[in-house]
């Protein structure tokens, strides 16, 4: 049975976990810079959604010099030496864009266009068309079923509207003049929790995206907020959770039925949205971070985390957590199935501690099992099934001692389950 999730492959390690666990997915979304992995997936006949990583331009702006990223990086280096704020330097995103720049029409450099605030405000459609054609042709060589429309993540104002509109027009022009018979997926990427304050903040962005999908016959819309961290248990984020759900209700009501609706990756909110039939496909990371990181950004390695499966949450692998597990196991009845699960996790503790990849595999395996347990139910029963599942996790957590200090602000064992549970039926 094909699973309705869409794994997001952002690294070679992700590709390995995909092969181990997720080859039954409806498709795999993979970044264009992972060309060797794309080739392997194609050889295995995995349906592909290729993302050009264009949203990485969110980190690069306000340069007017020609010469592409080389001059841009030189400018940023001078700025940093004067005590300026952090700016990303050379990475896979820049290397990929430099490769795209070298394909043809070499006088048109991506940095000159999309790192330039003047050009963003007054885009030259001909130049945008040339660049987008070059970029999407590069994606198309791998014969994917889906390709992301190039877009810069939305801002709180309207300053990116013109360049994003221009990019959509260029993508449609490319589709109409190419042999691509697949699907174009429109990204709508919010980068601040403030975008989720309420309808006033998100509706103008959503309405514009819906308008593009309706008027230009786009086949899919993918929505994510990179600032939502639903695995942390912070009560400060719960209002944003409710607003996110409301936004997806609005999208479901106003977006044509035949347009694919995709959301995430998150830890559990993607599952909530999917179980409520507000989206068609939940996006999933593969055991690593549980949010979406923009290409070109530096995701901190952080602490190794492991799944506390009965609680539907994660926790930092530490000596304090080992003690917490031992104490919890003693308190639970021997007949309690949760005791057995916690005991199995305790046995694997050194295995997780020895290599973060071991813990990441365990997280990814649990995510798949969790999803499959809900997918096995009838569509109309999935939301109540997930609610009951999270309610049991919350009830269990309410009987247990607080987790170690590493879990602040979500030290209460049932905190994550509680916050997700409240979004299931509201």
């Amino acid at each position: 049975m094909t699973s309705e999730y869409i794994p997001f492959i952002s690294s070679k390690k992700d590709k390995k976990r995909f092969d181990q666990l997720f080859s039954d997915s409806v498709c795999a979304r993979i970044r264009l810079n992972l060309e060797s992995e794309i080739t392997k997936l194609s050889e295995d006949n995995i349906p592909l959604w290729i993302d050009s990583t264009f949203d990485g331009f969110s980190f690069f702006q306000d340069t007017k010099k020609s010469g592409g990223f080389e001059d841009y990086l030189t400018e940023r280096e001078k700025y940093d030496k004067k005590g300026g704020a952090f700016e990303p330097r050379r990475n896979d995103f820049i290397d990929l864009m430099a490769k795209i720049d070298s394909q043809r029409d070499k006088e048109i450099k991506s940095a000159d266009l999309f790192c330039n605030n003047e050009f963003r405000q007054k885009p030259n459609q001909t130049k945008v068309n040339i660049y987008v054609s070059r970029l999407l042709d590069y994606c198309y060589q791998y014969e994917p079923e889906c390709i992301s429309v190039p877009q810069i993540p939305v801002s709180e104002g309207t300053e990116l509207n013109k360049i994003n509109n221009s990019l959509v027009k260029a993508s449609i022009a490319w589709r109409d003049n190419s042999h691509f018979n697949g699907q174009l997926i429109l990204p709508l990427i919010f980068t601040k929790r403030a975008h989720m304050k309420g309808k006033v903040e998100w509706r103008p962005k959503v309405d514009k995206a819906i308008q593009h999908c309706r008027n230009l016959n786009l086949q899919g819309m993918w929505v994510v907020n990179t600032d939502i961290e639903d695995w942390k248990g912070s009560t400060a984020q719960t209002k944003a959770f409710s607003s996110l759900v409301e936004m997806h209700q609005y999208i479901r009501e106003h977006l044509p039925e035949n347009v694919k609706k995709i959301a995430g990756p998150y830890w559990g909110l993607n599952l909530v949205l999917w179980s409520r039939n507000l989206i068609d496909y939940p996006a999933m990371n593969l055991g690593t971070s549980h949010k979406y990181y923009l290409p070109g950004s530096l995701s901190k390695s952080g602490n190794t985390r492991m799944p506390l499966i009965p609680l539907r949450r994660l926790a930092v692998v530490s000596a304090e957590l080992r003690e917490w597990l031992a104490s919890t196991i003693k308190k639970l009845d021997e007949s309690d199935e949760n005791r057995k699960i916690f005991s199995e996790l305790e046995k694997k503790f050194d295995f997780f501690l020895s290599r973060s990849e071991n813990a990441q595999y365990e997280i990814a395996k649990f995510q798949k099992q969790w999803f499959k347990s809900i997918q096995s139910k009838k569509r109309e029963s999935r939301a109540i099934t997930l609610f009951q599942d999270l309610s049991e996790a919350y009830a269990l957590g309410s009987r247990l001692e607080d987790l170690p200090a590493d879990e602040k602000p979500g030290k209460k064992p049932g905190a994550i389950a509680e916050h997700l549970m409240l979004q299931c039926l509201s």
Side-chain angles (χ1 to χ4, degrees), residues 325-347:
L325 274 172
S327 174
T328 296
I329 292 166
K330 287 179 181 178
K331 289 180 180 179
L332 295 175
D333 293 338
E334 290 189 11
S335 60
D336 192 328
E337 184 64 27
N338 293 318
R339 176 179 171 137
K340 298 176 184 177
I341 298 172
F342 280 131
S343 296
E344 286 300 313
L345 291 172
E346 186 186 36
K347 291 176 184 176

Side-chain angles (χ1 to χ4, degrees), residues 213-232:
C213 290
R214 283 183 176 276
N215 297 346
L216 302 173
N217 192 30
L218 296 174
Q219 295 94 343
M221 183 168 153
W222 161 53
V223 185
V224 69
N225 189 308
T226 65
D227 199 28
I228 284 183
E229 300 172 318
D230 59 338
W231 76 93
K232 287 189 172 181

Side-chain angles (χ1 to χ4, degrees), residues 6-265:
I6 299 180
F8 274 35
I9 301 174
S10 302
S11 68
K12 292 182 178 181
K13 291 178 181 178
D14 285 346
K15 167 63 168 60
K16 180 179 179 181
R17 280 187 288 275
F18 175 88
D19 291 340
Q20 292 170 325
L21 295 167
F22 290 93
S23 58
D24 64 337
S25 22
V26 65
C27 76
R29 179 192 180 274
I30 187 166
R31 289 180 171 173
L32 182 58
N33 60 288
L34 298 170
E35 294 187 64
S36 61
E37 280 65 39
I38 292 174
T39 300
K40 293 172 186 175
L41 288 168
S42 297
E43 292 171 351
D44 292 338
N45 295 315
I46 301 295
L48 292 180
W49 166 12
I50 293 182
D51 185 86
S52 69
T53 76
F54 190 89
D55 45 314
F57 278 107
S58 177
F59 291 107
F60 299 94
Q61 59 182 335
D62 200 22
T63 180
K64 300 174 185 177
K65 294 183 68 175
S66 60
F69 282 109
E70 292 303 324
D71 280 354
Y72 178 77
L73 291 171
T74 299
E75 282 191 10
R76 300 319 308 176
E77 185 176 356
K78 291 177 181 177
Y79 177 78
D80 291 341
K81 285 180 179 177
K82 293 179 181 179
F86 166 80
E87 293 287 342
R89 293 169 176 78
R90 179 167 296 284
N91 51 37
D92 288 345
F93 168 76
I94 295 176
D95 289 341
L96 175 62
M97 292 302 124
K99 183 183 290 187
I100 301 298
D101 285 346
S102 70
Q103 295 302 302
R104 62 176 189 267
D105 303 304
K106 296 181 182 180
E107 71 280 4
I108 294 179
K109 300 290 187 181
S110 54
D112 297 342
L113 275 55
F114 307 113
C115 299
N116 186 334
N117 280 347
E118 282 190 10
F119 189 87
R120 290 186 183 195
Q121 292 295 318
K122 297 180 180 179
N124 179 304
Q125 191 63 50
T126 300
K127 289 184 176 181
V128 175
N129 284 2
I130 291 171
Y131 179 80
V132 168
S133 176
R134 190 167 62 192
L135 180 65
L136 298 186
D137 276 347
Y138 202 86
C139 295
Y140 178 54
Q141 67 177 308
Y142 296 105
E143 300 182 349
E145 291 196 4
C146 304
I147 299 176
S148 298
V149 174
Q151 290 282 276
I152 298 174
V154 300
S155 60
E156 293 184 65
T158 61
E159 60 270 17
L160 293 174
N161 286 6
K162 290 182 179 179
I163 188 63
N164 277 335
N165 290 345
S166 180
L167 288 162
V168 172
K169 291 177 183 177
S171 300
I172 297 304
W174 172 82
R175 181 189 67 186
D176 294 344
N177 290 290
S178 72
H179 299 291
F180 181 62
N181 294 317
Q183 302 175 348
L184 288 179
I185 308 296
L186 180 68
L188 180 57
I189 304 172
F190 297 94
T191 58
K192 294 182 180 179
R193 207 179 312 150
H195 290 138
M196 297 295 112
K197 283 183 179 178
K199 187 178 289 187
V200 171
E201 284 73 23
W202 55 254
R203 181 169 173 177
K205 317 296 183 185
V206 169
D207 282 343
K208 176 59 71 173
I210 291 173
Q211 181 183 2
H212 285 321
C213 290
R214 283 183 176 276
N215 297 346
L216 302 173
N217 192 30
L218 296 174
Q219 295 94 343
M221 183 168 153
W222 161 53
V223 185
V224 69
N225 189 308
T226 65
D227 199 28
I228 284 183
E229 300 172 318
D230 59 338
W231 76 93
K232 287 189 172 181
S234 171
T235 55
Q237 294 203 33
T238 53
K239 184 177 180 181
F241 297 172
S242 298
S243 184
L244 183 80
V245 171
E246 181 186 15
M247 179 179 70
H248 281 282
Q249 289 174 319
Y250 182 87
I251 292 170
R252 172 60 84 183
E253 291 168 5
H254 292 86
L255 198 62
E257 186 65 28
N258 64 329
V259 178
K260 293 179 179 178
K261 301 155 190 73
I262 306 156

